Amino acid sequence: MPDQSSYIRAASELKKNQKQWDAYDSEGHCVVIAGPGSGKTKTLTTKLARILSEDVKEPRGVACITYNNECAKELEDRLSLLGVEPSKRVFIGTIHSFSLTQIILPYAKVAGLELPAEFRVATSGESRQAFSVAVSNTLGNVDNLNSLESQVGHYRRTIPNRDEPAWRERNPRLAALSEAFESELRSRGLIDFDDMPLLALKALRRNPWLQKAVLAKYPVLVVDEYQDLGVALHRMVMGLCFRTGVRLFAVGDVDQSIYGFTGARPDLLRKLSERADVETIRLSLNYRCGTKIVNASEMALGEERNYQGVEDGPEGRVFFQPMEGNYEQQAARLLNEIVPQALDRNPQYDYRDVAILYPAAWIGDAVASASQAADISVVRADRNAIYPRSSRLMQWLELCSKWCCGGWSSGKPRFYSIVRQGERLFAENIQTGEQSYEFHNRLIDTLWSHRDAAISFHEWITALNHNVINSFADGCTALRDDLGVLTAFASRAAPEGDLAEMLLGEFAGAGEFLNRLTLTTLHSAKGKEFGLVFMFGMDEGRLPFSNSTQTQLAEARRLFYVGMTRAKREVHFIHTAGRSSRFVNELNQRLDDAQ
C-alpha cells in the first residue's frame, strides 16, 4: 500500500489546478486530455497512488499500460517517490508486456491460442529470417524486403480480428503474406512482438472467463499515452472496461499522436472521450513552456486549444535561423555560434538542458560529428545511439551503474528499487523466496565491490554478467532481444572494441559525465523537456516528407508541434535558406501577423 502521507501531499498540490483535482477526484471511467507540459504524469501517478490506497484492496491491484519502456520507467520512478513500488499488485509496462506476462504466458494453454507447447519470443534476427522465408514461399523474389515487412506489420496491427471481412478484403496480398509469416513463426516455435497484443485480444475475445480473471486481479486499468497505443489496446479497453466492468482512467492527447506508422489511431482517443459514460477532463495550463512558445505552438498546430502559460511564468522566445551550406556546415555553426549565444542568454542552463532535435537519425550524424569536432559531449537518443534507449535490460543496467557511481550513498536510485526492477526483468527465473534471496545477494555483492565511476565499463559489465545476468536471464522469454543488445554493446566495450575506453561513470551519466547535450529525433523527444530546443533540418522534404498523403501531412504537423513544445525558454528553427519547411513558413507568417 502506498505511503498515504506522500500521495496526499502530492494531491494537495493538485488543488491549485481545478482540472487536475477533478481528474484526481473522479470516480468512474475518466479520460484526461492533457496538453504539453500540463502535469499529466503528476496527475496520473498521484491518482494511481490514491486508487491503490483507497479504492482497490489487497491482493487486487492496478494495471498501468503505457507506450514504451522509457515511459514505463518514468512512471515507476515517479510512483516510487509516492511510496508505490513495483509489485505483484501493480503492473506498469507496455501493451506488449501486459499481453505477454498477464495473458499469454499464464493462459496460453487453456485459452485456445494454438501456440507451440514451448513457444519463445522471436529475436529480431529470427523474425526477419522467418519473414524472408514466408515472402519467398508466397511471392517469390521481392525487391525492398524491409518496406514489405513494414507494410505487413502495419496491416497486422490495424486489423487485429482475423474474422472481420476487412482482413482479407482490404489487401488480400498483405493478408496472405501475414498469415504465411505467422505460420512460419509457429513452425519454429515462435511468436513475435506484434503477435503479443493480437494473441491477448484473441484470448480475451474468445474466453469471457478470462475477462473476469483480469477483472478479479486488476479492477482498475490505467492507460497513459492512449493516442499512441493502437487498435488492439482500444478493443481490449472496450471489452474489459465497458462490458466486463474494469474501471478506466486514461490520459492522452490527440495533438501529440505521432506514431501512425506503428498503427496509432488518434481518433480512437477522441471517440473514447466523447462517450456518455466517460468523464472527460481537459488540462489546458502549460507549466513547461514560456508564454510565447505556448502561443506559437497553437499557431503551429493550426487549431485553437486555449492553452495558457503559467501566470508570472517565463515569456519564452522563438527564433528562426536560416542557414547556408550542407548539414555538416550548418551543424558546425549551430554548435560554435548559436548554442553558445543561447547559453549566454540563459546562464541558469548548461549542455544538459539543451536538445537538438531532427526529423531523421542520419541528419543527427552531422550534428554528432560537429559536436565531436567542437569537443562537446553528447548523448544520442535515436536509432544511432550506442544502444537502444528502449531496452528494459539496458535501462536497468543504467540504474545499477548510477548506484555504483554515488547512488549507494545518496539513495538515488534506491537499491530496493533496483532489486525489484531486476526481479521483474528475470521473473521467469525468480519464482521462489530462495531464488529472490540469491538474486539479491549476488547483486549487492557485485555492485558493492564495483562502486567506482572511474573503473572501466568492461570490467563492471563482465562482473555483472558473470555473477548475476548469465545465471538469471537464461531462458527468459521476453529478454532474448535485450540480451542480444547487451552482448553487442559489451563487445564494443571490450579491450579490442571501439568503446574500450568507456568508464562506468560515462555510461551512468554521473558527475562530470552528466553535462552532455542531447541529440535525438523528434519522435524520440516526445515526453521529454529541455530548457533550450534547437529543431535542426526543418526543411521542406524533410518535415513533411515529399509526397506526403493528407494523413501523413497532419501527423507531420503534430510532430512539428511536439518538437517545439519540448522547450521551456527558447525554441530555434534551423533550416536551409530557401528550403524552409511549410510549417516554419506558416508559423513565421502567423507570428508576424499577430504582431
Side-chain angles (χ1 to χ4, degrees):
M1 180 177 293
D3 175 3
Q4 289 194 357
S5 61
S6 295
Y7 85 81
I8 289 175
R9 281 196 299 271
S12 68
E13 291 295 312
L14 300 183
K15 284 188 175 181
K16 300 174 184 178
N17 182 320
Q18 185 60 46
K19 295 298 184 181
Q20 288 182 342
W21 179 258
D22 290 345
Y24 173 78
D25 210 33
S26 62
E27 296 181 350
H29 299 313
C30 181
V31 171
V32 180
I33 306 298
S38 60
K40 67 101 174 172
T41 303
K42 179 180 180 179
T43 304
L44 184 152
T45 51
T46 308
K47 175 67 170 178
L48 198 155
R50 180 182 186 176
I51 290 170
L52 283 167
S53 181
E54 301 179 19
D55 300 349
V56 177
K57 304 304 180 185
E58 294 189 56
R60 303 175 84 190
V62 175
C64 181
I65 295 174
T66 191
Y67 178 68
N68 60 28
N69 291 324
E70 288 185 276
C71 294
K73 181 177 180 297
E74 181 188 2
L75 290 177
E76 287 181 348
D77 291 344
R78 298 282 284 270
L79 284 166
S80 180
L81 297 175
L82 298 176
V84 179
E85 299 291 349
S87 69
K88 291 183 179 179
R89 281 193 73 206
V90 186
F91 171 89
I92 303 172
T94 64
I95 181 62
H96 300 86
S97 178
F98 178 80
S99 298
L100 181 66
T101 64
Q102 305 301 310
I103 298 175
I104 299 173
L105 288 176
Y107 301 112
K109 293 181 180 179
V110 294
L113 294 180
E114 300 174 350
L115 293 176
E118 301 297 331
F119 70 88
R120 297 176 291 111
V121 176
T123 64
S124 298
E126 289 172 333
S127 182
R128 281 192 296 269
Q129 187 179 47
F131 184 77
S132 179
V133 171
V135 170
S136 179
N137 291 341
T138 308
L139 304 176
N141 293 326
V142 172
D143 294 330
N144 202 346
L145 200 63
N146 289 339
S147 175
L148 187 58
E149 188 174 16
S150 176
Q151 292 175 49
V152 166
H154 188 271
Y155 197 74
R156 294 170 68 203
R157 290 187 291 269
T158 51
I159 312 178
N161 186 354
R162 305 300 167 77
D163 296 329
E164 293 179 8
W167 171 251
R168 294 195 177 280
E169 293 173 1
R170 187 175 301 175
N171 192 318
R173 178 172 176 263
L174 291 181
L177 184 52
S178 297
E179 292 171 358
F181 172 47
E182 291 169 358
S183 178
E184 185 64 29
L185 285 171
R186 302 299 180 269
S187 72
R188 299 167 183 237
L190 301 171
I191 65 172
D192 77 339
F193 193 67
D194 286 334
D195 271 322
M196 295 177 190
L198 300 179
L199 289 169
L201 183 61
K202 178 180 178 180
L204 289 166
R205 186 174 63 247
R206 292 185 175 182
N207 300 281
W209 60 265
L210 181 51
Q211 300 171 32
K212 293 179 181 178
V214 174
L215 171 63
K217 187 174 183 179
Y218 298 123
V220 180
L221 175 64
V222 176
V223 182
D224 185 27
E225 305 289 3
Y226 196 99
Q227 75 282 349
D228 293 330
L229 290 165
V231 177
L233 180 278
H234 183 70
R235 293 194 179 179
M236 283 188 200
V237 166
M238 292 299 103
L240 290 172
C241 299
F242 298 102
R243 287 190 289 274
T244 306
V246 175
R247 175 180 162 195
L248 175 68
F249 186 84
V251 179
D253 182 9
V254 171
D255 296 331
Q256 296 186 72
S257 180
I258 57 174
Y259 297 107
F261 57 91
T262 69
R265 291 264 307 275
D267 61 301
L268 298 178
L269 174 60
R270 185 180 295 111
K271 291 176 181 177
L272 180 65
S273 69
E274 292 170 352
R275 288 180 62 103
D277 51 356
V278 168
E279 180 182 5
T280 298
I281 297 166
R282 297 180 183 275
L283 304 183
S284 57
L285 191 60
N286 186 325
Y287 293 92
R288 175 191 302 150
C289 306
T291 304
K292 284 189 175 180
I293 299 174
V294 173
N295 294 337
S297 68
E298 199 160 300
M299 292 180 187
L301 193 60
E303 297 184 40
E304 289 189 11
R305 293 290 185 262
N306 296 316
Y307 290 135
Q308 300 173 351
V310 178
E311 187 176 352
D312 299 325
E315 184 177 55
R317 301 181 70 176
V318 179
F319 296 84
F320 297 89
Q321 309 274 12
M323 290 193 182
E324 303 290 344
N326 58 29
Y327 286 145
E328 288 75 14
Q329 293 167 322
Q330 293 179 29
R333 183 185 165 198
L334 172 63
L335 292 165
N336 292 307
E337 178 183 331
I338 297 175
V339 170
Q341 290 172 355
L343 288 171
D344 286 342
R345 285 192 298 271
N346 298 273
Q348 73 274 33
Y349 293 144
D350 55 24
Y351 285 130
R352 79 194 76 195
D353 303 299
V354 178
I356 300 177
L357 318 181
Y358 32 81
W362 68 267
I363 297 176
D365 292 342
V367 186
S369 297
S371 301
Q372 186 174 17
D375 198 26
I376 298 174
S377 295
V378 302
V379 57
R380 294 190 71 166
D382 57 29
R383 67 175 59 189
N384 290 341
I386 56 176
Y387 56 84
R389 307 295 299 177
S390 60
S391 165
R392 291 188 303 141
L393 179 57
M394 297 304 292
Q395 289 176 2
W396 181 70
L397 290 173
E398 288 175 0
L399 281 182
C400 292
S401 66
K402 289 175 182 176
W403 190 87
C404 290
C405 295
W408 62 274
S409 59
S410 69
K412 298 179 181 179
R414 292 188 296 163
F415 185 71
Y416 175 83
S417 297
I418 293 173
V419 171
R420 289 292 171 263
Q421 289 194 35
E423 287 183 334
R424 292 179 68 196
L425 271 179
F426 310 119
E428 292 175 65
N429 290 329
I430 304 178
Q431 297 288 327
T432 66
E434 183 178 351
Q435 290 168 332
S436 178
Y437 180 77
E438 182 183 3
F439 175 74
H440 183 285
N441 280 352
R442 287 194 183 197
L443 185 62
I444 189 61
D445 286 347
T446 305
L447 297 186
W448 186 258
S449 60
H450 292 81
R451 291 171 296 126
D452 185 355
I455 66 173
S456 74
F457 174 78
H458 172 68
E459 176 186 342
W460 182 81
I461 195 60
T462 298
L464 201 58
N465 266 328
H466 177 74
N467 297 329
V468 181
I469 296 173
N470 292 344
S471 299
F472 289 94
D474 184 44
C476 286
T477 304
L479 278 183
R480 300 181 71 227
D481 252 345
D482 286 51
L483 290 169
V485 168
L486 174 57
T487 298
F489 184 66
S491 67
R492 294 183 63 188
E496 65 280 5
D498 63 314
L499 299 176
E501 302 300 318
M502 175 178 280
L503 302 180
L504 181 61
E506 190 175 357
F507 176 77
E512 63 186 283
F513 305 106
L514 194 59
N515 189 22
R516 299 183 291 188
L517 185 150
T518 297
L519 309 184
T520 182
T521 59
L522 290 161
H523 282 97
S524 295
K526 187 171 180 293
K528 308 292 196 307
E529 60 180 42
F530 304 92
L532 311 174
V533 167
F534 299 83
M535 294 174 62
F536 186 80
M538 294 295 101
D539 296 344
E540 190 70 11
R542 305 294 181 218
L543 188 74
F545 291 128
S546 301
N547 302 318
S548 292
T549 65
Q550 287 302 308
T551 298
Q552 292 168 335
L553 189 62
E555 182 164 295
R557 183 180 294 279
R558 295 195 295 267
L559 184 61
F560 184 75
Y561 168 78
V562 165
M564 64 185 298
T565 53
R566 303 308 95 196
K568 297 178 183 178
R569 293 297 183 98
E570 292 188 7
V571 58
H572 297 244
F573 300 102
I574 316 296
H575 61 87
T576 304
R579 287 182 50 201
S580 52
S581 165
R582 69 187 72 180
F583 303 143
V584 171
N585 296 337
E586 289 172 5
L587 177 58
N588 203 347
Q589 185 62 55
R590 287 169 181 166
L591 286 171
D592 284 345
D593 292 344
Q595 291 176 356

